[in-house]
Amino acid sequence: MSDSPKPQLRREMAELPTYKAGKKVASVNGLAAFKLSSNENAHPPLPGVLAAITKAALEINRYPDPFCGELTKAIAEKFDVSIDEVATGTGSVGVCQQIIQAIAGAGDEVMYAWRSFEAYPIITTIAGATNVAVPLTSSGQHDLAAMLAAITPKTRVIFVCTPNNPTGGIVTQQQINKFLDQVPTEILVVIDEAYVEFNCDPNAIDGIATMKAHTNVGVLRTFSKAYGLAGLRVGYFIGPKHIAEAVRKTAVPFGVSNIAQTAAVVSLENESELFERVEQVIALRTWFEGELTKLGFELPASQANFVWLPLGDRTLDFVTKSEGIAVAIRPFPGEGVRISIGEREGLERIIEFAKDFVS
Ligand SMILES: *Cc1c(COP(=O)(O)O)cnc(C)c1O
């Protein structure tokens, strides 16, 4: 302790990973570079969204609406909930942080499956709460029985990420119903549906209906993936009124810019156009999974805009050998590789490379 630099940091800071910015993909041998490492939407903004935010830019000398009034109303209408049940934030990561700050502090436990979304442990640690990471099953699914068994009197929040990042699988409605029957209602269960628009499995959980049927369930959604607004930072929570109110209180004041609010509102108005693009992503995913399977890879079915290759010890070998193809993918050393369903050309290049990798 004595040799730590002064002024001193909170104890929890030592546990936080140092942020590593995603590697920029360089073009190699004249090959165009593709970034398939962050689950972004490869489509450019809709013309209508671009026009609206250009107009909104004329007002950047003003603070935005701190309560995202118009957006909150649009979200409430879309899901047939009251505006009191909605809270917005700077991306659903921002909302996730607001939730934990409102609910869990020192001595409290925040539970999630692992591996899952990397923000959960970081945000929990920053809040000074205790991380309870329950391993996924060997097929990459949430082990809800093990999660139930890990509940203690200190558990305050449980995140259920479905489809799960990075493994791509879903939790079924039947599984979550059984789970919720046994979770004490004092615990908030947050269903993180960042990728829900890409799901095609009819057995998957309906987060909003589940939220409506319980007093201790909330849903997290984002405009970053299916709606293609990752760079603008807008996400939201729908859940019990007193929780939504608390989540609004812990938000960074004026965090969601007027440009972001405008883009989100216009995106909701143009959902049909956006969802055509989602269909294209799903078709591409089906093709990509099929090609990889033909090559002999075993991969869990994905319901998201990425696929998971559980390569285990061969993960780094795969990533190192793929460096010449100018496509950024996301390695989790010792576990696997996550590949976003972005530009088709990038995915085709991976298939070509993967043929050599297996042979
Ligand atoms: C991408 C992602 C989010 C959304 O992040 P934003 O902050 O809204 O960009 C939330 N949860 C999971 C699991 C994600 O993968």
Side-chain angles (χ1 to χ4, degrees), residues 142-174:
H142 276 63
D143 190 342
L144 293 173
M147 291 175 78
L148 275 178
I151 290 175
T152 77
K154 294 176 181 169
T155 309
R156 304 300 309 278
V157 187
I158 300 175
F159 284 94
V160 175
C161 183
T162 170
N164 187 49
N165 177 7
T167 50
I170 51 113
V171 171
T172 68
Q173 188 67 53
Q174 211 181 1

PDB file of all heavy atoms in Angstrom, residues 142-174:
ATOM      1  N   HIS A 142     -26.745 -20.375 -20.537  1.00  0.00           N
ATOM      2  CA  HIS A 142     -26.861 -19.995 -19.128  1.00  0.00           C
ATOM      3  C   HIS A 142     -27.171 -21.256 -18.306  1.00  0.00           C
ATOM      4  O   HIS A 142     -28.050 -22.041 -18.690  1.00  0.00           O
ATOM      5  CB  HIS A 142     -28.015 -19.016 -18.923  1.00  0.00           C
ATOM      6  CG  HIS A 142     -27.656 -17.586 -19.204  1.00  0.00           C
ATOM      7  ND1 HIS A 142     -27.264 -17.155 -20.445  1.00  0.00           N
ATOM      8  CD2 HIS A 142     -27.615 -16.498 -18.387  1.00  0.00           C
ATOM      9  CE1 HIS A 142     -27.010 -15.844 -20.381  1.00  0.00           C
ATOM     10  NE2 HIS A 142     -27.212 -15.433 -19.152  1.00  0.00           N
ATOM     11  N   ASP A 143     -26.473 -21.418 -17.208  1.00  0.00           N
ATOM     12  CA  ASP A 143     -26.747 -22.535 -16.291  1.00  0.00           C
ATOM     13  C   ASP A 143     -27.642 -21.984 -15.183  1.00  0.00           C
ATOM     14  O   ASP A 143     -27.182 -21.606 -14.105  1.00  0.00           O
ATOM     15  CB  ASP A 143     -25.425 -23.078 -15.732  1.00  0.00           C
ATOM     16  CG  ASP A 143     -25.616 -24.371 -14.972  1.00  0.00           C
ATOM     17  OD1 ASP A 143     -26.770 -24.670 -14.573  1.00  0.00           O
ATOM     18  OD2 ASP A 143     -24.619 -25.079 -14.755  1.00  0.00           O
ATOM     19  N   LEU A 144     -28.940 -21.933 -15.485  1.00  0.00           N
ATOM     20  CA  LEU A 144     -29.858 -21.259 -14.556  1.00  0.00           C
ATOM     21  C   LEU A 144     -29.981 -21.993 -13.227  1.00  0.00           C
ATOM     22  O   LEU A 144     -30.174 -21.361 -12.187  1.00  0.00           O
ATOM     23  CB  LEU A 144     -31.230 -21.075 -15.216  1.00  0.00           C
ATOM     24  CG  LEU A 144     -31.234 -20.095 -16.409  1.00  0.00           C
ATOM     25  CD1 LEU A 144     -32.588 -20.099 -17.108  1.00  0.00           C
ATOM     26  CD2 LEU A 144     -30.872 -18.680 -15.975  1.00  0.00           C
ATOM     27  N   ALA A 145     -29.810 -23.316 -13.256  1.00  0.00           N
ATOM     28  CA  ALA A 145     -29.861 -24.066 -11.991  1.00  0.00           C
ATOM     29  C   ALA A 145     -28.685 -23.655 -11.111  1.00  0.00           C
ATOM     30  O   ALA A 145     -28.840 -23.420  -9.902  1.00  0.00           O
ATOM     31  CB  ALA A 145     -29.833 -25.569 -12.264  1.00  0.00           C
ATOM     32  N   ALA A 146     -27.523 -23.533 -11.712  1.00  0.00           N
ATOM     33  CA  ALA A 146     -26.337 -23.119 -10.944  1.00  0.00           C
ATOM     34  C   ALA A 146     -26.488 -21.673 -10.475  1.00  0.00           C
ATOM     35  O   ALA A 146     -26.038 -21.309  -9.384  1.00  0.00           O
ATOM     36  CB  ALA A 146     -25.080 -23.273 -11.799  1.00  0.00           C
ATOM     37  N   MET A 147     -27.141 -20.852 -11.275  1.00  0.00           N
ATOM     38  CA  MET A 147     -27.349 -19.462 -10.863  1.00  0.00           C
ATOM     39  C   MET A 147     -28.295 -19.395  -9.670  1.00  0.00           C
ATOM     40  O   MET A 147     -28.055 -18.656  -8.714  1.00  0.00           O
ATOM     41  CB  MET A 147     -27.857 -18.621 -12.052  1.00  0.00           C
ATOM     42  CG  MET A 147     -26.765 -18.438 -13.114  1.00  0.00           C
ATOM     43  SD  MET A 147     -27.281 -17.594 -14.629  1.00  0.00           S
ATOM     44  CE  MET A 147     -27.288 -15.874 -14.094  1.00  0.00           C
ATOM     45  N   LEU A 148     -29.342 -20.215  -9.711  1.00  0.00           N
ATOM     46  CA  LEU A 148     -30.252 -20.271  -8.557  1.00  0.00           C
ATOM     47  C   LEU A 148     -29.511 -20.682  -7.303  1.00  0.00           C
ATOM     48  O   LEU A 148     -29.681 -20.096  -6.233  1.00  0.00           O
ATOM     49  CB  LEU A 148     -31.365 -21.301  -8.814  1.00  0.00           C
ATOM     50  CG  LEU A 148     -32.600 -20.860  -9.583  1.00  0.00           C
ATOM     51  CD1 LEU A 148     -33.539 -22.054  -9.746  1.00  0.00           C
ATOM     52  CD2 LEU A 148     -33.324 -19.715  -8.868  1.00  0.00           C
ATOM     53  N   ALA A 149     -28.647 -21.681  -7.464  1.00  0.00           N
ATOM     54  CA  ALA A 149     -27.906 -22.197  -6.312  1.00  0.00           C
ATOM     55  C   ALA A 149     -26.920 -21.160  -5.774  1.00  0.00           C
ATOM     56  O   ALA A 149     -26.530 -21.217  -4.611  1.00  0.00           O
ATOM     57  CB  ALA A 149     -27.170 -23.481  -6.703  1.00  0.00           C
ATOM     58  N   ALA A 150     -26.530 -20.201  -6.612  1.00  0.00           N
ATOM     59  CA  ALA A 150     -25.527 -19.202  -6.195  1.00  0.00           C
ATOM     60  C   ALA A 150     -26.166 -17.977  -5.531  1.00  0.00           C
ATOM     61  O   ALA A 150     -25.469 -17.078  -5.074  1.00  0.00           O
ATOM     62  CB  ALA A 150     -24.696 -18.777  -7.411  1.00  0.00           C
ATOM     63  N   ILE A 151     -27.498 -17.942  -5.483  1.00  0.00           N
ATOM     64  CA  ILE A 151     -28.173 -16.807  -4.836  1.00  0.00           C
ATOM     65  C   ILE A 151     -27.912 -16.842  -3.326  1.00  0.00           C
ATOM     66  O   ILE A 151     -27.960 -17.903  -2.703  1.00  0.00           O
ATOM     67  CB  ILE A 151     -29.700 -16.854  -5.123  1.00  0.00           C
ATOM     68  CG1 ILE A 151     -29.956 -16.527  -6.595  1.00  0.00           C
ATOM     69  CG2 ILE A 151     -30.457 -15.876  -4.230  1.00  0.00           C
ATOM     70  CD1 ILE A 151     -31.421 -16.673  -7.017  1.00  0.00           C
ATOM     71  N   THR A 152     -27.621 -15.671  -2.765  1.00  0.00           N
ATOM     72  CA  THR A 152     -27.435 -15.550  -1.315  1.00  0.00           C
ATOM     73  C   THR A 152     -28.297 -14.384  -0.834  1.00  0.00           C
ATOM     74  O   THR A 152     -28.853 -13.651  -1.651  1.00  0.00           O
ATOM     75  CB  THR A 152     -25.956 -15.250  -0.953  1.00  0.00           C
ATOM     76  OG1 THR A 152     -25.699 -13.866  -1.231  1.00  0.00           O
ATOM     77  CG2 THR A 152     -24.971 -16.120  -1.724  1.00  0.00           C
ATOM     78  N   PRO A 153     -28.361 -14.180   0.459  1.00  0.00           N
ATOM     79  CA  PRO A 153     -29.117 -13.008   0.949  1.00  0.00           C
ATOM     80  C   PRO A 153     -28.524 -11.682   0.454  1.00  0.00           C
ATOM     81  O   PRO A 153     -29.172 -10.647   0.535  1.00  0.00           O
ATOM     82  CB  PRO A 153     -29.005 -13.123   2.468  1.00  0.00           C
ATOM     83  CG  PRO A 153     -28.723 -14.574   2.726  1.00  0.00           C
ATOM     84  CD  PRO A 153     -27.904 -15.048   1.563  1.00  0.00           C
ATOM     85  N   LYS A 154     -27.312 -11.712  -0.060  1.00  0.00           N
ATOM     86  CA  LYS A 154     -26.677 -10.477  -0.536  1.00  0.00           C
ATOM     87  C   LYS A 154     -26.924 -10.198  -2.017  1.00  0.00           C
ATOM     88  O   LYS A 154     -26.559  -9.145  -2.520  1.00  0.00           O
ATOM     89  CB  LYS A 154     -25.158 -10.555  -0.320  1.00  0.00           C
ATOM     90  CG  LYS A 154     -24.752 -10.577   1.136  1.00  0.00           C
ATOM     91  CD  LYS A 154     -23.237 -10.759   1.212  1.00  0.00           C
ATOM     92  CE  LYS A 154     -22.778 -10.819   2.661  1.00  0.00           C
ATOM     93  NZ  LYS A 154     -21.368 -11.246   2.718  1.00  0.00           N
ATOM     94  N   THR A 155     -27.513 -11.159  -2.726  1.00  0.00           N
ATOM     95  CA  THR A 155     -27.739 -10.970  -4.164  1.00  0.00           C
ATOM     96  C   THR A 155     -28.758  -9.858  -4.383  1.00  0.00           C
ATOM     97  O   THR A 155     -29.856  -9.881  -3.815  1.00  0.00           O
ATOM     98  CB  THR A 155     -28.275 -12.274  -4.799  1.00  0.00           C
ATOM     99  OG1 THR A 155     -27.420 -13.346  -4.417  1.00  0.00           O
ATOM    100  CG2 THR A 155     -28.313 -12.161  -6.325  1.00  0.00           C
ATOM    101  N   ARG A 156     -28.389  -8.874  -5.214  1.00  0.00           N
ATOM    102  CA  ARG A 156     -29.309  -7.756  -5.463  1.00  0.00           C
ATOM    103  C   ARG A 156     -29.781  -7.712  -6.911  1.00  0.00           C
ATOM    104  O   ARG A 156     -30.902  -7.322  -7.190  1.00  0.00           O
ATOM    105  CB  ARG A 156     -28.623  -6.415  -5.133  1.00  0.00           C
ATOM    106  CG  ARG A 156     -28.076  -6.317  -3.721  1.00  0.00           C
ATOM    107  CD  ARG A 156     -29.158  -6.490  -2.655  1.00  0.00           C
ATOM    108  NE  ARG A 156     -30.315  -5.619  -2.860  1.00  0.00           N
ATOM    109  CZ  ARG A 156     -30.391  -4.352  -2.490  1.00  0.00           C
ATOM    110  NH1 ARG A 156     -29.384  -3.788  -1.880  1.00  0.00           N
ATOM    111  NH2 ARG A 156     -31.469  -3.646  -2.724  1.00  0.00           N
ATOM    112  N   VAL A 157     -28.894  -8.045  -7.835  1.00  0.00           N
ATOM    113  CA  VAL A 157     -29.229  -7.983  -9.258  1.00  0.00           C
ATOM    114  C   VAL A 157     -28.702  -9.232  -9.954  1.00  0.00           C
ATOM    115  O   VAL A 157     -27.596  -9.692  -9.644  1.00  0.00           O
ATOM    116  CB  VAL A 157     -28.572  -6.764  -9.958  1.00  0.00           C
ATOM    117  CG1 VAL A 157     -29.078  -6.631 -11.394  1.00  0.00           C
ATOM    118  CG2 VAL A 157     -28.798  -5.482  -9.199  1.00  0.00           C
ATOM    119  N   ILE A 158     -29.495  -9.772 -10.884  1.00  0.00           N
ATOM    120  CA  ILE A 158     -29.025 -10.882 -11.727  1.00  0.00           C
ATOM    121  C   ILE A 158     -29.212 -10.460 -13.181  1.00  0.00           C
ATOM    122  O   ILE A 158     -30.321 -10.075 -13.580  1.00  0.00           O
ATOM    123  CB  ILE A 158     -29.822 -12.172 -11.470  1.00  0.00           C
ATOM    124  CG1 ILE A 158     -29.696 -12.612 -10.000  1.00  0.00           C
ATOM    125  CG2 ILE A 158     -29.357 -13.296 -12.412  1.00  0.00           C
ATOM    126  CD1 ILE A 158     -30.568 -13.823  -9.632  1.00  0.00           C
ATOM    127  N   PHE A 159     -28.141 -10.510 -13.952  1.00  0.00           N
ATOM    128  CA  PHE A 159     -28.251 -10.234 -15.383  1.00  0.00           C
ATOM    129  C   PHE A 159     -28.412 -11.542 -16.141  1.00  0.00           C
ATOM    130  O   PHE A 159     -27.685 -12.510 -15.881  1.00  0.00           O
ATOM    131  CB  PHE A 159     -26.994  -9.512 -15.907  1.00  0.00           C
ATOM    132  CG  PHE A 159     -26.956  -8.066 -15.524  1.00  0.00           C
ATOM    133  CD1 PHE A 159     -26.282  -7.653 -14.381  1.00  0.00           C
ATOM    134  CD2 PHE A 159     -27.624  -7.120 -16.285  1.00  0.00           C
ATOM    135  CE1 PHE A 159     -26.269  -6.317 -14.012  1.00  0.00           C
ATOM    136  CE2 PHE A 159     -27.618  -5.781 -15.925  1.00  0.00           C
ATOM    137  CZ  PHE A 159     -26.929  -5.374 -14.782  1.00  0.00           C
ATOM    138  N   VAL A 160     -29.369 -11.554 -17.058  1.00  0.00           N
ATOM    139  CA  VAL A 160     -29.538 -12.696 -17.956  1.00  0.00           C
ATOM    140  C   VAL A 160     -29.419 -12.125 -19.368  1.00  0.00           C
ATOM    141  O   VAL A 160     -30.264 -11.339 -19.794  1.00  0.00           O
ATOM    142  CB  VAL A 160     -30.904 -13.378 -17.751  1.00  0.00           C
ATOM    143  CG1 VAL A 160     -31.109 -14.493 -18.777  1.00  0.00           C
ATOM    144  CG2 VAL A 160     -31.023 -13.935 -16.331  1.00  0.00           C
ATOM    145  N   CYS A 161     -28.336 -12.491 -20.045  1.00  0.00           N
ATOM    146  CA  CYS A 161     -28.062 -11.917 -21.357  1.00  0.00           C
ATOM    147  C   CYS A 161     -28.532 -12.906 -22.424  1.00  0.00           C
ATOM    148  O   CYS A 161     -27.986 -13.999 -22.549  1.00  0.00           O
ATOM    149  CB  CYS A 161     -26.560 -11.667 -21.481  1.00  0.00           C
ATOM    150  SG  CYS A 161     -26.076 -10.868 -23.016  1.00  0.00           S
ATOM    151  N   THR A 162     -29.571 -12.526 -23.181  1.00  0.00           N
ATOM    152  CA  THR A 162     -30.137 -13.452 -24.152  1.00  0.00           C
ATOM    153  C   THR A 162     -30.637 -12.722 -25.386  1.00  0.00           C
ATOM    154  O   THR A 162     -31.452 -11.811 -25.236  1.00  0.00           O
ATOM    155  CB  THR A 162     -31.251 -14.321 -23.523  1.00  0.00           C
ATOM    156  OG1 THR A 162     -31.924 -15.051 -24.561  1.00  0.00           O
ATOM    157  CG2 THR A 162     -32.289 -13.542 -22.759  1.00  0.00           C
ATOM    158  N   PRO A 163     -30.118 -13.016 -26.573  1.00  0.00           N
ATOM    159  CA  PRO A 163     -29.016 -13.921 -26.875  1.00  0.00           C
ATOM    160  C   PRO A 163     -27.728 -13.488 -26.164  1.00  0.00           C
ATOM    161  O   PRO A 163     -27.494 -12.295 -26.026  1.00  0.00           O
ATOM    162  CB  PRO A 163     -28.855 -13.790 -28.391  1.00  0.00           C
ATOM    163  CG  PRO A 163     -30.177 -13.297 -28.899  1.00  0.00           C
ATOM    164  CD  PRO A 163     -30.729 -12.452 -27.805  1.00  0.00           C
ATOM    165  N   ASN A 164     -26.944 -14.492 -25.741  1.00  0.00           N
ATOM    166  CA  ASN A 164     -25.763 -14.177 -24.940  1.00  0.00           C
ATOM    167  C   ASN A 164     -24.580 -13.736 -25.797  1.00  0.00           C
ATOM    168  O   ASN A 164     -24.253 -14.365 -26.795  1.00  0.00           O
ATOM    169  CB  ASN A 164     -25.351 -15.403 -24.112  1.00  0.00           C
ATOM    170  CG  ASN A 164     -24.241 -15.089 -23.125  1.00  0.00           C
ATOM    171  OD1 ASN A 164     -24.319 -14.099 -22.385  1.00  0.00           O
ATOM    172  ND2 ASN A 164     -23.196 -15.901 -23.119  1.00  0.00           N
ATOM    173  N   ASN A 165     -23.951 -12.654 -25.365  1.00  0.00           N
ATOM    174  CA  ASN A 165     -22.700 -12.200 -25.952  1.00  0.00           C
ATOM    175  C   ASN A 165     -21.573 -12.775 -25.098  1.00  0.00           C
ATOM    176  O   ASN A 165     -21.538 -12.479 -23.910  1.00  0.00           O
ATOM    177  CB  ASN A 165     -22.665 -10.654 -25.919  1.00  0.00           C
ATOM    178  CG  ASN A 165     -21.368 -10.092 -26.447  1.00  0.00           C
ATOM    179  OD1 ASN A 165     -20.525 -10.805 -26.961  1.00  0.00           O
ATOM    180  ND2 ASN A 165     -21.198  -8.785 -26.306  1.00  0.00           N
ATOM    181  N   PRO A 166     -20.661 -13.574 -25.623  1.00  0.00           N
ATOM    182  CA  PRO A 166     -20.362 -13.828 -27.030  1.00  0.00           C
ATOM    183  C   PRO A 166     -20.821 -15.178 -27.587  1.00  0.00           C
ATOM    184  O   PRO A 166     -20.478 -15.484 -28.731  1.00  0.00           O
ATOM    185  CB  PRO A 166     -18.825 -13.816 -27.014  1.00  0.00           C
ATOM    186  CG  PRO A 166     -18.482 -14.497 -25.723  1.00  0.00           C
ATOM    187  CD  PRO A 166     -19.573 -14.084 -24.755  1.00  0.00           C
ATOM    188  N   THR A 167     -21.567 -15.981 -26.842  1.00  0.00           N
ATOM    189  CA  THR A 167     -21.813 -17.341 -27.322  1.00  0.00           C
ATOM    190  C   THR A 167     -23.042 -17.460 -28.234  1.00  0.00           C
ATOM    191  O   THR A 167     -23.207 -18.464 -28.920  1.00  0.00           O
ATOM    192  CB  THR A 167     -21.936 -18.330 -26.142  1.00  0.00           C
ATOM    193  OG1 THR A 167     -22.873 -17.791 -25.205  1.00  0.00           O
ATOM    194  CG2 THR A 167     -20.610 -18.545 -25.458  1.00  0.00           C
ATOM    195  N   GLY A 168     -23.922 -16.452 -28.218  1.00  0.00           N
ATOM    196  CA  GLY A 168     -24.997 -16.381 -29.214  1.00  0.00           C
ATOM    197  C   GLY A 168     -26.275 -17.141 -28.909  1.00  0.00           C
ATOM    198  O   GLY A 168     -27.260 -16.995 -29.638  1.00  0.00           O
ATOM    199  N   GLY A 169     -26.276 -17.957 -27.862  1.00  0.00           N
ATOM    200  CA  GLY A 169     -27.464 -18.764 -27.569  1.00  0.00           C
ATOM    201  C   GLY A 169     -28.503 -17.992 -26.770  1.00  0.00           C
ATOM    202  O   GLY A 169     -28.227 -16.919 -26.230  1.00  0.00           O
ATOM    203  N   ILE A 170     -29.701 -18.551 -26.722  1.00  0.00           N
ATOM    204  CA  ILE A 170     -30.801 -17.883 -26.016  1.00  0.00           C
ATOM    205  C   ILE A 170     -31.211 -18.649 -24.761  1.00  0.00           C
ATOM    206  O   ILE A 170     -30.883 -19.825 -24.599  1.00  0.00           O
ATOM    207  CB  ILE A 170     -32.051 -17.735 -26.919  1.00  0.00           C
ATOM    208  CG1 ILE A 170     -32.411 -19.093 -27.561  1.00  0.00           C
ATOM    209  CG2 ILE A 170     -31.837 -16.676 -27.992  1.00  0.00           C
ATOM    210  CD1 ILE A 170     -33.686 -19.686 -27.107  1.00  0.00           C
ATOM    211  N   VAL A 171     -31.950 -17.962 -23.915  1.00  0.00           N
ATOM    212  CA  VAL A 171     -32.649 -18.591 -22.799  1.00  0.00           C
ATOM    213  C   VAL A 171     -34.089 -18.728 -23.264  1.00  0.00           C
ATOM    214  O   VAL A 171     -34.641 -17.795 -23.858  1.00  0.00           O
ATOM    215  CB  VAL A 171     -32.565 -17.699 -21.536  1.00  0.00           C
ATOM    216  CG1 VAL A 171     -33.459 -18.230 -20.432  1.00  0.00           C
ATOM    217  CG2 VAL A 171     -31.119 -17.578 -21.056  1.00  0.00           C
ATOM    218  N   THR A 172     -34.696 -19.888 -23.034  1.00  0.00           N
ATOM    219  CA  THR A 172     -36.079 -20.059 -23.489  1.00  0.00           C
ATOM    220  C   THR A 172     -37.061 -19.484 -22.465  1.00  0.00           C
ATOM    221  O   THR A 172     -36.713 -19.270 -21.300  1.00  0.00           O
ATOM    222  CB  THR A 172     -36.431 -21.545 -23.708  1.00  0.00           C
ATOM    223  OG1 THR A 172     -36.438 -22.192 -22.429  1.00  0.00           O
ATOM    224  CG2 THR A 172     -35.443 -22.229 -24.643  1.00  0.00           C
ATOM    225  N   GLN A 173     -38.287 -19.256 -22.937  1.00  0.00           N
ATOM    226  CA  GLN A 173     -39.331 -18.740 -22.041  1.00  0.00           C
ATOM    227  C   GLN A 173     -39.590 -19.723 -20.904  1.00  0.00           C
ATOM    228  O   GLN A 173     -39.737 -19.331 -19.747  1.00  0.00           O
ATOM    229  CB  GLN A 173     -40.618 -18.500 -22.847  1.00  0.00           C
ATOM    230  CG  GLN A 173     -41.701 -17.785 -22.056  1.00  0.00           C
ATOM    231  CD  GLN A 173     -41.316 -16.349 -21.722  1.00  0.00           C
ATOM    232  OE1 GLN A 173     -40.960 -15.579 -22.609  1.00  0.00           O
ATOM    233  NE2 GLN A 173     -41.367 -15.988 -20.452  1.00  0.00           N
ATOM    234  N   GLN A 174     -39.595 -20.995 -21.273  1.00  0.00           N
ATOM    235  CA  GLN A 174     -39.851 -22.017 -20.264  1.00  0.00           C
ATOM    236  C   GLN A 174     -38.762 -22.011 -19.183  1.00  0.00           C
ATOM    237  O   GLN A 174     -39.052 -22.098 -17.985  1.00  0.00           O
ATOM    238  CB  GLN A 174     -39.860 -23.372 -20.975  1.00  0.00           C
ATOM    239  CG  GLN A 174     -40.759 -24.367 -20.343  1.00  0.00           C
ATOM    240  CD  GLN A 174     -40.705 -25.708 -21.086  1.00  0.00           C
ATOM    241  OE1 GLN A 174     -39.961 -25.870 -22.073  1.00  0.00           O
ATOM    242  NE2 GLN A 174     -41.464 -26.656 -20.607  1.00  0.00           N
TER     243      GLN A 174
END
